């Protein structure tokens, strides 16, 4: 009888689910197979377009760095939970400079943020910055695009 259990166990091992063996003296041996829940299907977000640059603001009398992205996800645009702009100095060999969080707007596809230049490490007259715009979804899948920041030297 133990060989039968081993044979049935080996035959059902390849099936998905949980195998429960039940043995009782009054009843014949029973094998119950429970189906496992279906796997979660998640699609990665997609960065459709992006922009980064700097402009002068007369009201604040400061430079304003802006970062924008249009993102989508096959699960839903609401599956995108974070978008970041990571700035690198390409003329220094791709050294990381600073990250900026983008925030959702009234349009679920559009994320945006702007920052006072005096609060950043960025030089508005430097043309060597690249920006990775990275979108993350609920399951930490991501997509990114890399672009050159538009500066006064651009």
């Amino acid at each position: 009888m133990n060989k039968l259990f081993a044979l049935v166990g080996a035959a059902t091992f390849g099936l998905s689910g949980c195998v429960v063996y039940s043995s009782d003296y009054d009843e014949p041996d029973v094998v119950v197979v429970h189906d496992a829940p279906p796997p979660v299907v998640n699609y990665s977000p997609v960065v459709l377009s992006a922009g980064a640059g700097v402009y002068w603001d007369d009201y604040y009398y400061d430079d304003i760095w802006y970062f924008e992205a249009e993102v989508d996800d096959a699960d839903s645009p609401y599956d995108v939970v974070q978008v970041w702009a990571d700035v690198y100095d390409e003329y220094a060999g791709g050294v990381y400079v600073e990250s900026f969080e983008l925030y959702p707007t009234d349009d679920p596809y559009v994320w945006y943020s702007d920052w006072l230049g005096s609060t950043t490490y960025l030089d508005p007259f430097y043309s060597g910055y690249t920006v990775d715009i990275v979108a993350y979804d609920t399951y930490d899948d991501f997509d990114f695009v890399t672009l050159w920041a538009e500066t006064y030297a651009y």
Side-chain angles (χ1 to χ4, degrees):
M1 189 54 76
N2 286 339
K3 289 182 183 179
L4 178 61
F5 279 132
L7 183 60
V8 170
T12 60
F13 182 75
L15 299 176
S16 65
C18 178
V19 178
V20 178
Y21 296 101
S22 174
S23 179
D24 198 352
Y25 292 109
D26 297 335
E27 296 179 21
D29 294 330
V30 177
V31 176
V32 180
V33 177
H34 296 282
D35 290 331
V40 175
V41 176
N42 181 54
Y43 297 98
S44 297
V46 177
V47 179
L48 302 172
S49 65
V54 65
Y55 64 90
W56 178 257
D57 187 282
D58 287 330
Y59 179 80
Y60 291 108
Y61 205 69
D62 199 356
D63 298 302
I64 305 292
W65 284 92
Y66 69 90
F67 305 95
E68 59 189 354
E70 183 180 0
V71 298
D72 195 7
D73 192 308
D75 298 313
S76 163
Y78 296 105
D79 190 37
V80 178
V81 294
Q82 285 187 333
V83 179
W84 288 85
D86 301 324
V87 181
Y88 298 91
D89 184 347
E90 290 303 317
Y91 297 158
V95 174
Y96 168 80
V97 178
E98 195 168 0
S99 287
F100 300 92
E101 186 172 7
L102 280 67
Y103 301 99
T105 63
D106 292 337
D107 183 344
Y109 299 95
V110 178
W111 293 67
Y112 183 85
S113 70
D114 53 2
W115 304 81
L116 291 172
S118 58
T119 65
T120 72
Y121 295 113
L122 304 178
D123 179 359
F125 294 96
Y126 184 66
S127 63
Y129 295 128
T130 58
V131 180
D132 287 347
I133 302 291
V134 188
Y136 297 93
D137 73 0
T138 306
Y139 290 98
D140 287 335
D141 276 344
F142 65 94
D143 185 33
F144 72 96
V145 297
T146 302
L147 56 109
W148 288 92
E150 294 180 19
T151 64
Y152 301 140
Y154 185 65

